[in-house]
């Protein structure tokens, strides 16, 4: 049998070709394979049950990494699906959206889900984990995979696989149960160290381990307002008759596209109009604060809300928080010594609150202009005065932070949280993460408007995410209302531009595996030409052609 040479930490190992990565970790490196999610050999990533077939430099990817943690959670979900179907063979499981530090879903069966069922499922999961059952990846013809899912009665997967063009597909197998996942899987069920499963009417919440300590279950933090907005989105999808990507693609193919887009946009407009009405009902409101994470569509939303506020008799006065940045030499720095522009202390809070107070008293104020090239404030004679029917609109990441507007009493504030909270999934078992929607939006906007490549955008994302967790997500439940900016058809439009950029990322890049995963799920969507998108759509903020502004 032929030999391969593997280098790890300046040590060379001569192996029999065909040994698995798991065997190499155990027999040669004395590394616990239950701590390792993947192995990277040369420029490719491999699951531990794969055979080593070439020589090269090896890198171990732990479960605590961003990539590894996704694999850990995906494996936990497969174990959950297996446990449920072992107990309730004809049930339909839908894994729907994140909530708190868990994932919410439903189990549709003859009798409604009860708390006692959750206890049974959890016991079954523990049994599967304790048996440390191997998970296998099996490549087969797409037609064979469709037959398996037809036998299971999984029409969502049948619909998805029927519409794709590739001839082969890889399924994962766990103790006789096959499933499709877009993303890698752990080598066996024994890697799961801690989890919890709770009843959450009308479904469940599956809670994973902490990322930095897999032996400890994450604390579940209930987000009632966020749950309500997901329920609202589920109703929107019901109105649109779109439950997953397969049903969306059918509408695109059956020339129902224009109706779909018009209803999607109308649902957005109706919600924005309702928010404007809520503001009018609270007669003491003088300041509207709009906050949300990157690529949520805040700017377009603020413009559309302004139109609806005008319909209600207001004169909206926008104020940009960017103009209240402190001079560069006064900007706080992060733990790495870099300027922390996302810190609330990067804003001149005293001046900002002074101006707000003056405006609300009917006084005229001169608003500063921040010169980003010079890194300092300028005064160019930009003056504002709030008319009797005026209302101030403030859009920015700190909008919900009470420190931003300490001089304003709560009854004068109306707080809005906006984010792209997707509910559309590839199929019942493969949800599309909200973060992935925003990543794709950001890739397209950065490429079309700023000339940044997808690699640069994806490398920046962890820093963006840290800022969001620190400055935005902790305040989201403080909002008076939430707005979901996702459009069910948007990935069909964004796909073309995102794939062009993602294809440029080489296997040597640290974001290559993430790029591959994004390409994998984007490939399932049918294309929609951007000309179908209305000029006032939130989607125009990312693809250009907005009626509100040019980029």
């Amino acid at each position: 049998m032929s030999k391969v040479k593997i280098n790890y930490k300046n040590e060379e190992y001569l192996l029999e070709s065909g040994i698995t990565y798991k065997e190499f970790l155990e027999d040669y490196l004395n590394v616990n394979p239950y701590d390792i999610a993947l192995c990277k050999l040369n420029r490719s990533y491999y699951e531990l049950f794969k055979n080593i077939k070439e020589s090269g430099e090896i890198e171990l990817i732990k479960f605590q990494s961003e990539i590894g943690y996704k694999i850990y959670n995906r494996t936990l979900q497969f174990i959950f699906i297996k446990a449920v179907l072992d107990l309730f063979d004809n049930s339909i499981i839908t894994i729907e959206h994140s909530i708190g530090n868990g994932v919410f879903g439903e189990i549709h069966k003859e009798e409604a889900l009860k708390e006692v069922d959750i206890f049974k499922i959890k016991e079954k999961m523990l049994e599967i984990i304790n048996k440390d059952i191997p998970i296998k990846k099996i490549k087969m013809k797409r037609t064979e995979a469709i037959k398996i899912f037809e036998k299971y009665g999984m029409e969502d997967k049948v619909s998805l696989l029927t519409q794709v063009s590739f001839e082969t597909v890889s399924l994962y197998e766990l103790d006789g149960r096959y499933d499709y996942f877009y993303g890698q899987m752990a080598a066996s069920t024994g890697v799961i160290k801690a989890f919890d499963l709770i009843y959450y009417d009308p479904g469940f919440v599956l809670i994973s381990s902490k990322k930095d300590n897999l032996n400890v279950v994450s604390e579940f933090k209930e987000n009632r307002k966020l749950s309500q907005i997901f329920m609202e989105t589920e109703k929107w999808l019901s109105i649109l008759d779109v439950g997953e990507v397969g049903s969306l693609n059918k509408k695109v193919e059956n020339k129902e596209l224009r109706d779909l887009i018009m209803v999607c946009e109308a649902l957005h407009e109706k919600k924005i109009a309702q928010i404007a009405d809520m503001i009018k009902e609270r007669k003491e409101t003088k300041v509207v604060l709009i906050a949300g994470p990157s690529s949520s569509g805040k700017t377009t939303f603020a413009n559309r809300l302004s139109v609806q506020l005008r319909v209600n008799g207001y004169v909206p006065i926008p104020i940009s928080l960017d103009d209240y940045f402190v001079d560069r030499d006064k900007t706080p720095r992060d733990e790495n010594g870099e300027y922390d522009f996302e810190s609330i202390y990067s804003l001149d809070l005293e001046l900002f609150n002074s101006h707000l107070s003056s405006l609300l008293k009917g006084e005229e104020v001169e608003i500063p202009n921040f010169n980003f090239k010079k890194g300092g404030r300028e005064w160019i004679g930009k003056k504002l005065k709030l008319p009797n029917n005026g209302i101030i609109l403030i859009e920015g990441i700190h909008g919900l932070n009470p420190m931003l507007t300490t001089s304003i009493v709560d009854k004068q504030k109306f707080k809005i949280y906006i984010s792209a909270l997707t509910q559309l999934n590839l199929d019942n078992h493969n949800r599309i993460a909200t973060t992935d929607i925003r990543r794709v939006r950001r890739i397209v906007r950065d490429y079309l408007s700023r000339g940044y490549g997808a690699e640069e955008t994806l490398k920046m994302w962890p820093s963006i995410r840290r800022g969001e967790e620190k400055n935005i997500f902790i305040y989201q439940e403080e909002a008076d209302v939430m707005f979901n900016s996702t459009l069910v058809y948007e990935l069909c439009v964004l796909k073309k531009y995102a794939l062009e950029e993602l294809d440029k990322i080489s296997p040597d890049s640290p974001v290559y595996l993430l790029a591959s995963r994004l390409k994998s799920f984007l490939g399932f969507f049918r294309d929609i030409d951007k000309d179908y998108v209305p000029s006032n759509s939130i989607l125009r903020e990312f693809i250009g052609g907005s009626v509100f502004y040019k980029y």
Side-chain angles (χ1 to χ4, degrees):
M1 186 176 285
S2 60
K3 303 280 187 176
V4 293
K5 291 180 181 179
I6 298 297
N7 293 304
Y8 177 69
K9 291 186 175 181
N10 299 319
E11 292 285 337
E12 186 174 273
Y13 300 88
L14 189 63
L15 317 175
E16 296 287 348
S17 178
I19 185 175
T20 67
Y21 287 90
K22 184 178 181 181
E23 290 169 337
F24 172 63
L25 295 179
E26 290 177 312
D27 299 342
Y28 289 85
L29 299 186
N30 197 27
V31 170
N32 185 351
Y34 297 92
D35 295 332
I36 307 301
L38 293 174
C39 289
K40 184 180 180 182
L41 182 63
N42 300 326
R43 296 163 55 162
S44 299
Y45 292 86
Y46 297 95
E47 290 152 306
L48 299 196
F49 44 69
K50 292 280 189 179
N51 303 107
I52 302 177
K53 296 181 179 179
E54 62 178 346
S55 301
E57 186 85 21
I58 199 168
E59 179 185 347
L60 309 185
I61 311 297
K62 294 187 175 183
F63 283 114
Q64 286 86 352
S65 67
E66 184 179 358
I67 296 167
Y69 192 57
K70 287 186 181 298
I71 293 170
Y72 186 90
N73 285 301
R74 196 176 295 120
T75 303
L76 177 63
Q77 288 176 21
F78 193 13
I79 293 167
F80 168 78
I81 291 164
K82 166 68 174 168
V84 172
L85 294 174
D86 278 357
L87 293 169
F88 310 105
D89 187 39
N90 295 317
S91 61
I92 296 174
I93 305 157
T94 55
I95 295 175
E96 299 176 15
H97 57 78
S98 60
I99 177 172
N101 290 320
V103 175
F104 171 80
E106 297 181 65
I107 300 171
H108 307 274
K109 54 191 185 69
E110 287 185 9
E111 294 185 6
L113 186 70
K114 305 186 194 73
E115 198 159 5
V116 65
D117 297 328
I118 295 296
F119 293 134
K120 291 177 182 177
I121 296 166
K122 189 174 178 180
E123 285 179 4
K124 189 68 177 178
M125 290 178 70
L126 288 169
E127 178 186 320
I128 293 169
I129 292 166
N130 290 334
K131 284 183 177 178
D132 192 21
I133 303 170
I135 297 173
K136 302 172 185 174
K137 190 174 188 177
I138 301 170
K139 195 171 186 178
M140 64 179 68
K141 289 183 178 180
R142 180 171 58 94
T143 52
E144 292 301 312
I146 289 172
K147 287 179 183 178
I148 289 172
F149 293 126
E150 283 178 337
K151 183 179 177 182
Y152 288 166
M154 294 181 174
E155 292 302 318
D156 55 312
K157 292 185 186 292
V158 172
S159 175
L160 188 70
L161 293 177
T162 300
Q163 295 169 14
V164 296
S165 58
F166 42 79
E167 291 303 314
T168 59
V169 62
S170 293
L171 301 188
Y172 286 97
E173 184 262 331
L174 171 55
D175 195 25
R177 168 64 59 176
Y178 293 87
D179 212 332
Y180 173 79
F181 295 93
Y182 80 97
Q184 293 91 347
M185 196 69 64
S188 67
T189 61
V191 304
I192 303 300
K193 296 176 171 62
F195 76 95
D196 200 3
L197 184 69
I198 62 172
Y199 179 73
Y200 195 84
D201 190 30
F204 62 87
V205 175
L206 180 61
I207 307 164
S208 184
S209 309
K210 288 184 175 181
K211 184 179 178 182
D212 57 354
N213 187 350
L214 298 178
N215 293 301
V216 179
V217 179
S218 297
E219 180 186 357
F220 176 61
K221 296 178 181 178
E222 190 173 26
N223 303 126
R224 278 293 174 187
K225 289 181 181 177
L226 199 59
S227 297
Q228 288 168 6
I229 206 70
F230 275 121
M231 289 175 65
E232 178 185 73
T233 304
E234 192 172 348
K235 289 178 183 176
W236 286 7
L237 292 178
S238 178
I239 291 167
L240 294 165
D241 192 27
V242 174
E244 71 296 312
V245 173
S247 56
L248 170 63
N249 286 339
K250 283 180 181 178
K251 287 192 177 291
V252 175
E253 291 173 350
N254 296 338
K255 306 191 186 306
E256 299 176 55
L257 182 56
R258 288 191 183 277
D259 282 348
L260 176 72
I261 290 174
M262 285 192 291
V263 176
C264 283
E265 298 291 346
L267 286 166
H268 264 192
E269 194 62 36
K270 185 173 183 178
K271 179 70 174 183
I272 294 169
Q274 288 173 346
I275 293 171
D277 290 343
M278 291 170 67
I279 292 168
K280 187 176 182 179
E281 288 170 9
R282 299 222 330 222
K283 300 188 183 299
E284 291 181 288
T285 299
K286 298 301 290 182
V287 178
V288 176
L289 298 150
I290 303 166
S294 174
S295 303
S296 293
K298 295 186 290 293
T299 304
T300 303
F301 171 83
N303 278 285
R304 287 175 65 170
L305 180 62
S306 292
V307 173
Q308 292 293 341
L309 288 171
R310 285 182 179 275
V311 171
N312 283 348
Y314 290 106
V315 176
I317 305 295
I319 293 182
S320 173
L321 288 177
D322 286 356
D323 287 329
Y324 287 90
F325 274 123
V326 297
D327 290 342
R328 191 65 43 82
D329 61 342
K330 296 178 182 175
T331 302
R333 295 180 182 266
D334 62 20
E335 60 275 11
N336 299 317
E338 303 292 331
Y339 287 121
D340 187 359
F341 296 111
E342 293 187 336
S343 167
I344 194 165
Y345 297 109
S346 68
L347 300 172
D348 189 335
L349 298 175
E350 185 177 350
L351 179 65
F352 179 70
N353 277 274
S354 172
H355 282 181
L356 279 184
S357 296
S358 296
L359 285 168
L360 293 178
K361 291 174 186 174
E363 299 171 3
E364 184 178 76
V365 299
E366 183 178 358
I367 301 294
N369 180 72
F370 193 83
N371 187 319
F372 284 91
K373 289 184 179 178
K374 295 180 179 178
R377 183 182 299 158
E378 296 176 336
W379 299 93
I380 57 175
K382 188 165 86 175
K383 296 182 179 180
L384 280 183
K385 187 174 181 180
L386 195 65
N388 289 334
N389 59 341
I391 191 165
I392 299 171
L393 260 65
I394 301 167
E395 175 247 306
I397 65 170
H398 297 293
L400 303 185
N401 187 334
M403 289 181 63
L404 179 70
T405 50
T406 53
S407 65
I408 312 300
V409 294
D410 286 344
K411 64 183 180 181
Q412 289 185 306
K413 305 174 195 176
F414 190 92
K415 294 174 286 187
I416 302 169
Y417 177 77
I418 172 174
S419 189
L421 302 166
T422 180
Q423 183 87 348
L424 181 73
N425 292 332
L426 273 185
D427 57 40
N428 288 340
H429 300 167
N430 286 276
R431 71 185 190 90
I432 299 172
T434 292
T435 301
D436 284 343
I437 296 284
R438 294 193 293 111
R439 277 191 180 114
V440 172
R441 282 181 170 187
R442 180 76 180 248
I443 286 168
V444 174
R445 185 178 65 189
D446 284 356
Y447 162 57
L448 292 178
S449 70
R450 303 170 185 176
Y452 296 161
E455 183 172 23
E456 191 173 355
T457 299
L458 292 179
K459 283 180 178 177
M460 287 191 302
W461 196 262
S463 174
I464 293 168
R465 183 73 177 179
R466 284 194 298 272
E468 291 169 349
E469 290 174 350
K470 184 178 178 181
N471 299 307
I472 300 172
F473 298 144
I474 59 172
Y475 298 112
Q476 64 188 16
E477 287 290 310
E478 301 298 316
D480 294 297
V481 68
M482 292 187 177
F483 179 80
N484 185 357
S485 69
T486 300
L487 290 154
V488 74
Y489 71 90
E490 69 177 83
L491 288 174
C492 296
V493 179
L494 296 170
K495 169 188 172 181
K496 170 187 171 184
Y497 307 101
L499 287 178
E500 285 177 7
E501 283 304 296
L502 290 166
D503 281 338
K504 296 175 183 176
I505 298 176
S506 75
D508 294 326
S509 171
V511 295
Y512 177 74
L513 194 59
L514 171 58
S516 298
R517 187 175 62 79
L518 293 175
K519 286 164 59 177
S520 175
F521 90 79
L522 284 170
F524 285 101
F525 289 82
R526 292 283 185 262
D527 286 353
I528 295 177
D529 192 275
K530 71 175 183 178
D531 289 344
Y532 283 98
V533 182
S535 60
N536 70 336
S537 173
I538 279 174
L539 191 50
R540 285 288 175 185
E541 188 166 322
F542 308 98
I543 61 173
S546 174
V547 71
F548 296 114
Y549 56 88
K550 292 182 180 180
Y551 68 54

